[in-house]
């Protein structure tokens, strides 16, 4: 797949996301939106009027990094998003004042807001979500500092607390909005799936070494973000692979559909060709269609599955397609055939099998076509198979083929009565015909097959 093709697929994927935001909110979503945004606005008002103190360099660096990271979010499978900005927000909760942290949450979303042009209610809600989650994380840090003595354990505990609280509060605030605005259930959103939550908490914990190393050296602190860069590019690569796999899957589905269409049209052409072969002789017109009907009646009595009956139907309909290679002088000859002419006539099962084999998608019906003139006693053709060596479908078609041949008038003989044809089938049981198939034929007669045979008797159906 070329880069341009993948890029187009990526854009199409983004446009077709199933959770695309609606342009308006439901009443429940409006109430929930107001309940989250209103307190965040009050917090922001206090943050703008509060004394911020020192630390503006840290604020500027973290706010800028968070803004860039927010623009670098990666859309993952199952409507998940990889948010690298969380590292800088959690770091801000550890090193900035609460007022600075709140302002940073606003600033980091502005570039994304301008770039993505989201529906009006999304940016305010996202900012409010981050503001409230960041405040909750700050309170978690304060609680740890009040409980745990100063030192390494307190720093580690504060880091775990701020990362866990921010992730969980962020998801707790987001879940109802997805449900009210887009009808996405908690299960479908996977907001609280263990693997997703654990991955984001681990990502948030990368802020701890960033915050602890900041006072020692900004450069060392920057190097601590190397895993974040690696994870980011890994996630982008994984997403592109997922997209490529999805695109290939869609292409395979289209190819399968096209292949199925080709098969259906090829099969229809073969059926038409089979009918054309039958139509070369006015006496055999409709022969293959009737053989199929008789064969399905016998197959049903033998307890064949639907798949087996489908294969039997195809084989029966195409069983004489090899006669396309038999000259009219032989096929339509009145009177007995010479030895050489009989050899030509006997070649039609093998020729029909070769025709179907070349197609490549009807291999399962080839044995029935090749062996539908075999006899149970081994005196059939083309290979002289005995008994159960002959495929069951071929044995069924042999009975059905013989029955239709006896019931229809041919250029070299008159048609038989139904009673005479039945007698011939029964007399040939165990020598010419398979006893199981003859028994099935007799059961089919009892079940009503004779009514379908009646129009055939005395002429061409």
């Amino acid at each position: 797949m070329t880069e341009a093709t993948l890029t187009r697929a990526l854009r199409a994927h983004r446009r077709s996301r199933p959770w695309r935001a609606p342009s308006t909110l439901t009443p429940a979503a409006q109430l929930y939106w107001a309940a989250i945004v209103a307190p965040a606005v009050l917090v922001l008002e206090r943050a703008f009027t509060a004394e911020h103190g020192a630390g503006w360099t840290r604020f500027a660096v973290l706010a800028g990094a968070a803004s860039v990271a927010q623009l670098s979010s990666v859309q993952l499978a199952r409507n998940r998003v990889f948010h690298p900005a969380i590292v800088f927000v959690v770091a801000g909760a550890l090193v900035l004042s609460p007022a600075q942290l709140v302002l940073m949450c606003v600033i980091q979303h502005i570039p994304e807001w301008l770039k993505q042009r989201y529906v009006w209610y999304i940016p305010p809600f996202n900012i409010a979500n981050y503001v409230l989650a960041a405040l909750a994380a700050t309170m978690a840090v304060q609680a740890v500092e009040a409980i745990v003595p100063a030192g390494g354990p307190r720093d580690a505990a504060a880091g775990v607390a701020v990362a866990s609280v921010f992730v969980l509060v962020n998801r707790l605030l987001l879940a109802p909005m997805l449900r009210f605005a887009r009808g996405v259930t908690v299960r479908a959103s996977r907001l609280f799936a263990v693997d997703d939550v654990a991955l984001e908490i681990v990502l948030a914990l990368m802020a701890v070494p960033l915050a602890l190393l900041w006072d020692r050296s900004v450069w060392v602190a920057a190097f601590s973000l190397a895993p974040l860069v690696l994870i980011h590019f890994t996630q982008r690569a994984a997403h592109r692979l997922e997209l490529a796999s999805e695109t290939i899957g869609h292409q395979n589905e289209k190819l399968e559909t096209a292949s199925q269409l080709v098969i259906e049209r090829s099969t229809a052409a073969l059926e038409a060709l089979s009918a054309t072969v039958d139509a070369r002789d006015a006496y055999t017109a409709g022969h293959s269609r009737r053989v199929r009907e008789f064969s399905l009646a016998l197959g049903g009595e033998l307890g064949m599955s639907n798949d087996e009956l489908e294969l039997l139907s195809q084989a029966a309909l195409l069983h004489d397609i090899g006669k396309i290679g038999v000259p009219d002088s032989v096929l339509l000859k009145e009177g007995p055939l010479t030895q050489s002419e009989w050899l030509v006539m006997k070649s039609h099962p093998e020729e029909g099998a070769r025709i179907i084999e070349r197609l490549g998608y009807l291999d399962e019906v080839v044995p029935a076509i090749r062996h539908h003139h075999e006899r149970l006693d081994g005196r059939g053709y083309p290979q002289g198979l005995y008994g159960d060596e002959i495929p069951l479908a071929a044995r069924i078609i042999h009975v059905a083929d013989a029955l239709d041949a006896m019931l229809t008038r041919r250029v070299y003989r008159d048609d038989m009565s139904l009673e005479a044809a039945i007698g011939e089938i029964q007399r040939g049981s165990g020598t010419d015909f398979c006893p199981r198939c003859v028994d099935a034929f007799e059961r089919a007669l009892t079940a009503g097959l004779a009514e379908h045979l009646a129009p055939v008797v005395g002429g061409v159906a």
Side-chain angles (χ1 to χ4, degrees), residues 157-397:
V160 172
V162 68
S164 302
V165 169
F166 180 85
V167 170
L168 293 176
V169 172
N170 173 268
R171 291 176 176 239
L172 284 170
L173 295 176
L174 181 58
M177 193 62 178
L178 289 176
R179 184 71 180 88
F180 295 145
R182 308 185 191 181
V184 180
T185 65
V186 172
R187 177 187 289 271
S189 70
R190 290 186 57 83
L191 285 174
F192 300 101
V194 175
D195 55 342
D196 279 13
V197 174
L199 176 63
E200 191 151 290
I201 289 178
V202 169
L203 184 65
L205 287 173
M206 294 180 64
V208 178
L210 174 64
L212 293 179
L213 293 171
W214 194 295
D215 290 332
R216 292 190 176 185
S217 169
V218 174
W219 294 110
V220 174
F223 278 122
S224 72
L225 295 176
L228 176 63
V229 177
L230 178 61
I231 293 173
H232 173 72
F233 283 106
T234 301
Q235 293 287 359
R236 285 179 64 88
H239 176 54
R240 293 174 76 86
L241 285 175
E242 290 172 351
L243 180 60
S245 176
E246 185 178 313
T247 303
I248 291 171
H250 290 322
Q251 291 174 343
N252 285 339
E253 289 177 2
K254 292 180 180 179
L255 286 174
E256 186 176 348
T257 301
S259 175
Q260 186 61 37
L261 182 60
V262 170
I263 289 174
E264 290 175 357
R265 290 183 176 178
S266 298
T267 303
L270 284 173
E271 292 175 359
L273 187 60
S274 176
T276 301
V277 171
D278 289 348
R280 291 169 68 187
D281 181 359
Y283 295 109
T284 61
H287 167 71
S288 296
R289 176 179 53 80
R290 293 192 299 272
V291 169
R292 178 177 62 179
E293 294 174 0
F294 301 163
S295 296
L296 290 176
L298 271 61
E301 292 296 330
L302 289 169
M304 281 185 156
S305 66
N306 289 336
D307 290 341
E308 291 171 330
L309 289 173
E310 178 62 28
L311 294 175
L312 176 63
S313 173
Q314 291 177 328
L317 192 62
L318 302 174
H319 76 285
D320 270 348
I321 198 166
K323 286 184 177 179
I324 195 171
V326 178
D328 285 349
S329 60
V330 175
L331 188 66
L332 306 180
K333 182 177 180 180
E334 298 185 20
L337 300 176
T338 65
Q339 184 175 3
S340 60
E341 290 171 338
W342 179 237
L343 289 175
V344 172
M345 180 63 78
K346 288 171 64 176
S347 69
H348 82 268
E350 197 69 68
E351 183 60 30
R354 281 195 291 267
I355 291 172
I356 302 304
E357 278 178 331
R358 294 190 189 101
L359 296 174
Y361 64 86
L362 287 174
D363 291 345
E364 292 179 282
V365 307
V366 169
I369 294 173
R370 175 175 282 123
H371 300 297
H372 74 275
H373 276 298
E374 303 283 1
R375 289 169 52 114
L376 210 68
D377 57 11
R379 292 188 294 124
Y381 60 90
Q383 295 180 356
L385 300 183
Y386 285 88
D388 290 342
E389 293 177 348
I390 308 169
L392 178 59
R395 285 177 267 158
I396 292 173
I397 294 172

